[in-house]
Each structure stands twice: as structure tokens, then as C-alpha cells.
Amino acid sequence: MTVLEARGRTGGRLASKGDGLDLGASWYWPGEHRVAALVDEFGIDVHDHFLVGDAMYDDPAAAVRLDGNPIDVASFRFSTGADSLTDALHNRLESHDHSDVRLDSHVQSVRVHSSGVAVGVETNGNAGAEELDADHVVIALPPALATSAIRFEPALPSDLVAVAERTPVWMGAITKVVARYASAFWRERGLSGSAVSHRGPMREIHDLSGPGAEPAALFGFASTTASSGPVNDGDVRDQLVRLFGPEAATPLELTLTDWRTEPLTSPSGVEEITDYSTFGHRVFQGPTLSGRVHWTSTETAPVAAGHIEGALAAAERAATHIAEHTNQSGAPA
Ligand SMILES: Cc1cc2nc3c(=O)[nH]c(=O)nc-3n(C[C@H](O)[C@H](O)[C@H](O)COP(=O)(O)OP(=O)(O)OC[C@H]3O[C@@H](n4cnc5c(N)ncnc54)[C@H](O)[C@@H]3O)c2cc1C
């Protein structure tokens, strides 16, 4: 198997800084058994998300301390960052499964012909430099991105393209804010670090600290619209101070990741695609183009769509279809 990854790293929307703080996904939840099984199999360190203390409500009129924490639910976090999961998968593929993981390899075209598929890949800026042969191709990127960035030949069925183009990219229009501090000062005041806001710029905030509050951090999600510019650093600091007090004004590091501006996650105009009813749509559930092109991003999953768990469920479905096809035709996968 060959994995073609356009970025210079694996992980996609699982992206962590060196200190383990997540700029993309950070949680998985009880019942997400596919993630839990991989965590066990690879021996990845995880910890419970911090729930103790009071949450805050950022009302337009005033910041209000709530009694308890009605905001957070029980969940788990990857202690050295969520991309420890994709790093482990990457290592497994290369070391045990003898697969080839090629970074900086941007898929530009998928051409299905009578005996297989030719995949056009641009590597290090050499457009059209290489065409790889395969029996099957698994499209593991958001459908709206795939149909805008990859040329398919013959053309994809029009009903699939219509659904793909209106399938949102989960969190693709979000700016994730991560504020790292010298200590988890909010915990000392009996606060959980969580907040909901009707004022913004962050609409929700949670504790992102590592085990034992090391490193100490808060994170938040700020929504963006087609007309809004980038989230403003100063507004973020003002909101953190409003909710958690003066110490919040001086994080050691403040990182704003605007996922709208990540062209390998979000197609342009991503904020305008907002109808989540297409998640797990039937057009993605089976292979297309002579049974050789499979759809596996989290957006295509019939369960846990949007989550890491959904991406794993979709991948399982594609693997089953490829195995069935291979058994029927006797061809190698
Ligand atoms: C801010 C944020 C917070 C999130 N929080 C959570 C959370 O707490 N829990 C949770 O379960 N989920 C969360 N998610 C969602 C989670 O990250 C996704 O469900 C998961 O990453 C989906 O995996 P995927 O493989 O479907 O897509 P992706 O992770 O997007 O992977 C797609 C890959 O395709 C590559 N690619 C794109 N175009 C090409 C091309 N032309 N050629 C080759 N490669 C290409 C990309 O570089 C990328 O590596 C969050 C996401 C974000 C952005």
C-alpha cells in the first residue's frame, strides 16, 4: 500500500505542537471503541479531560461564574498530543506492514482505466511528474476538498459531486486558540477552565493542560464567517481576562490556528458550507468509478462523522470493500 500525503507530516487535522498541545483534534469520548482499541494496541498515554471546578458563562452583559461544570462531558486526551495516534499508525505502516508513506506528495488526478487506476502525483513542485498505478484508490480527504482539488477521469457521478460540494468540512471554518501559561492558575481558584460565550470571539473554552497540569493551557474555538477577517489576538486576550482574571492576559504562548486558511483541509468558501445533513451520505458508502475509488474521510462516516472515530469507521468500510473486491476478482489489493 502507498500512502500519498500532501503535507510534510502525517496527521491532517490531528496536529500537535512539540509540547503536546493540540492545534487540531484533542478529545475522544467513551464508546469510541476504534480509537480506544488503537490507543491500547499502541500503548499511547492518555488521560481524563479535566472536569473539576466551576465553569464560566460569558454573557454579553457580564462574565458569570456557574455553579459546577455543566459544559464539559467526560472525555479522554492524548497526553503527548493527538498526533501520537497518527504517528503510531505511520510507524506501523512503514515498519510492520511494509507500506510506503510518501510525504509532500500532492495527488492531482485519479484516472480509472480498464485494468486499474493511475494516480497523478506532484512531488516537490514537479506538476504531473509521476503517475502511480493502483488497483484501488482511497480518497481520505474531505469530499468538498477532493472534488475541488483532484481531477477525476472519467468524471465522478454528478449526484456524488453535488453532495460532496455541499458537505461541510468538520471544523474547517474554525480558529482554534491555544493559550499556554506558566501554571493552571484557574484551577487554584476552583475553575474548570471551561466557558461558553455568546460574546466571543471564542464561543467555547476548555482546559487543555497535560497530565498534572503540565503544560498548563486553555483552548477555545472561534467561529468565522465568510465576511469575518482573522480572529483578533487582542480580542482573545480580553476574553480570557474577562473570564479567568488578570493572569490570563500574559500567556507564555498564544497560538491561533485558522483552519480556513489550510488549503489541504478546507476548500475556499468553506464557511459557506453548513448543511451537516450530508455527513455519512449514502453516495459515499460504496465505491465508485468501476468500484475502484473509495471515500473515507470522517465526513463520509455513518457513525461518529466529524470525529477521529468516524475517520476510522469510514476506513474500515473501505478496507472491507477492497477485500471483497479482491476476493471476487482474485486480483491483488
Ligand atoms: C480544530 C479542530 C478540532 C477538532 N477536535 C476534535 C476532537 O476533539 N475530537 C475528534 O474526534 N475530532 C476532532 N476534530 C476532527 C478530527 O480532526 C477529524 O475527524 C479527523 O482528523 C479526520 O481525519 P480524516 O483522515 O478524515 O481527514 P484529515 O485529518 O483532514 O486528513 C486528510 C489528509 O489528506 C491530506 N491531503 C489533502 N489533500 C491532499 C491531496 N490532494 N493529496 C494528498 N493528500 C492530501 C491532508 O494533508 C491530510 O493529512 C477536530 C478538527 C479540528 C480542525
Side-chain angles (χ1 to χ4, degrees):
M1 181 172 73
T2 303
V3 177
L4 299 166
E5 167 53 59
R7 284 182 167 98
R9 60 170 181 84
T10 48
R13 281 171 276 176
L14 274 60
S16 316
K17 299 198 292 129
D19 52 14
L21 296 178
D22 293 310
L23 305 176
S26 43
W27 294 302
Y28 68 101
W29 290 270
E32 294 194 330
H33 64 89
R34 294 173 182 85
V35 184
L38 289 177
V39 164
D40 282 351
E41 184 178 340
F42 293 127
I44 295 171
D45 280 341
V46 296
H47 61 278
D48 292 339
H49 177 67
F50 186 76
L51 296 170
V52 182
D54 294 337
M56 296 294 295
Y57 172 50
D58 195 19
D59 183 83
V64 180
R65 182 172 179 145
L66 302 177
D67 187 11
N69 178 4
I71 296 172
D72 285 306
V73 295
S75 63
F76 308 105
R77 297 250 325 279
F78 303 87
S79 300
T80 54
D83 61 8
S84 49
L85 181 67
T86 40
D87 286 350
L89 285 166
H90 182 164
N91 290 339
R92 163 66 60 86
L93 282 172
E94 289 197 321
S95 59
H96 294 286
D97 298 347
H98 307 295
S99 294
D100 190 8
V101 179
R102 300 195 192 180
L103 302 179
D104 298 310
S105 298
H106 198 134
V107 173
Q108 304 216 300
S109 61
V110 169
R111 183 168 55 84
V112 175
H113 51 78
S114 55
S115 56
V117 193
V119 180
V121 190
E122 179 194 306
T123 312
N124 297 332
N126 296 325
E130 204 178 354
E131 215 174 46
L132 302 178
D133 290 323
D135 292 310
H136 292 268
V137 170
V138 174
I139 307 291
L141 50 140
L145 180 65
T147 50
S148 68
I150 299 177
R151 231 174 24 259
F152 289 88
E153 196 186 318
L156 290 167
S158 54
D159 61 336
L160 188 143
V161 174
V163 174
E165 284 174 347
R166 58 185 174 85
T167 297
V169 177
W170 183 249
M171 302 301 242
I174 287 285
T175 295
K176 181 162 174 174
V177 174
V178 174
R180 183 167 66 85
Y181 293 97
S183 70
F185 58 87
W186 56 93
R187 293 189 186 183
E188 286 150 29
R189 273 193 259 124
L191 293 173
S192 60
S194 33
V196 280
S197 175
H198 287 125
R199 189 168 162 190
M202 292 176 280
R203 64 179 193 203
E204 55 177 282
I205 299 173
H206 308 270
D207 188 305
L208 187 68
S209 307
E214 186 54 48
L218 295 169
F219 83 94
F221 295 129
S223 308
T224 43
T225 63
S227 57
S228 62
V231 175
N232 182 294
D233 214 87
D235 292 344
V236 164
R237 283 174 202 265
D238 288 350
Q239 186 182 21
L240 289 168
V241 169
R242 193 160 74 229
L243 291 165
F244 300 108
E247 293 116 304
T250 49
L252 299 175
E253 197 179 6
L254 185 64
T255 311
L256 275 63
T257 308
D258 184 348
W259 285 89
R260 274 184 313 178
T261 63
E262 291 281 330
L264 296 172
T265 296
S266 300
S268 67
V270 68
E271 340 50 2
E272 284 155 33
I273 318 176
T274 54
D275 175 7
Y276 291 86
S277 69
T278 56
F279 270 25
H281 196 281
R282 63 172 169 72
V283 295
F284 304 124
Q285 304 313 313
T288 185
L289 299 186
S290 310
R292 295 195 182 269
V293 176
H294 306 257
W295 299 86
T296 68
S297 84
T298 188
E299 287 80 6
T300 71
V303 294
H307 292 183
I308 302 167
E309 178 76 4
L312 295 172
E316 247 173 45
R317 181 232 304 134
T320 305
H321 285 148
I322 292 171
E324 282 168 5
H325 186 276
T326 306
N327 290 341
Q328 280 163 19
S329 65

